[in-house]
Amino acid sequence: QVQLVESGGGLVQPGGSLRLSCAASGRTFSNSAMGWFRQAPGTEREFVAGIDLGGTNIYYADSVKGRFTISRDNAKNTVYLQMNSLKPEDTAVYYCAPSREKYYYTARSFDSWGQGTQVTVSS
């Protein structure tokens, strides 16, 4: 059974930063690319960022490119999402997920979700 625990969300002013963390169960993490998704009320879940097992195949949605950075620490079974220059439209519940693939992932290769962490960007 996959276990995912996201943390690091909160309320931040526009232009601010947050760092999200996701701790995953060992077996899942060591065999999977990892991704971050987000969902705002009334919208579909959006694939925000992905990183393969080796940390070299990295994806960003156009909406976050240049502002967000995904990384992973394989020794700690943790994936991170550094979010800078936050905008009100970044407000959403953020979820991490493991991919069924190790290296060549797509948005459709993720299918297990954590409980999510709320990010609210507001003045």
Side-chain angles (χ1 to χ4, degrees):
Q1 184 176 355
V2 175
Q3 292 185 331
L4 303 161
V5 180
E6 299 101 333
S7 62
L11 173 63
V12 63
Q13 292 186 343
S17 298
L18 284 174
R19 188 193 196 202
L20 306 184
S21 299
C22 172
S25 58
R27 181 178 179 181
T28 297
F29 196 87
S30 62
N31 285 285
S32 303
M34 296 295 294
W36 284 98
F37 291 73
R38 67 185 180 186
Q39 189 168 22
T43 70
E44 294 186 352
R45 189 168 290 174
E46 178 187 12
F47 182 31
V48 173
I51 185 168
D52 73 345
L53 186 59
T56 56
N57 180 17
I58 293 177
Y59 165 84
Y60 295 106
D62 287 343
S63 57
V64 306
K65 201 170 294 182
R67 301 186 297 120
F68 290 12
T69 302
I70 189 171
S71 61
R72 64 189 293 161
D73 185 334
N74 291 341
K76 295 182 178 180
N77 293 340
T78 301
V79 61
Y80 305 97
L81 187 66
Q82 177 67 44
M83 306 186 295
N84 298 329
S85 302
L86 283 161
K87 305 175 181 180
E89 51 263 44
D90 295 317
T91 296
V93 178
Y94 283 71
Y95 302 88
C96 71
S99 172
R100 295 186 298 276
E101 307 293 338
K102 293 183 180 181
Y103 300 105
Y104 303 108
Y105 58 89
T106 67
R108 288 176 290 182
S109 67
F110 297 85
D111 56 12
S112 298
W113 313 97
Q115 84 287 351
T117 185
Q118 175 70 47
V119 172
T120 302
V121 185
S122 175
S123 55

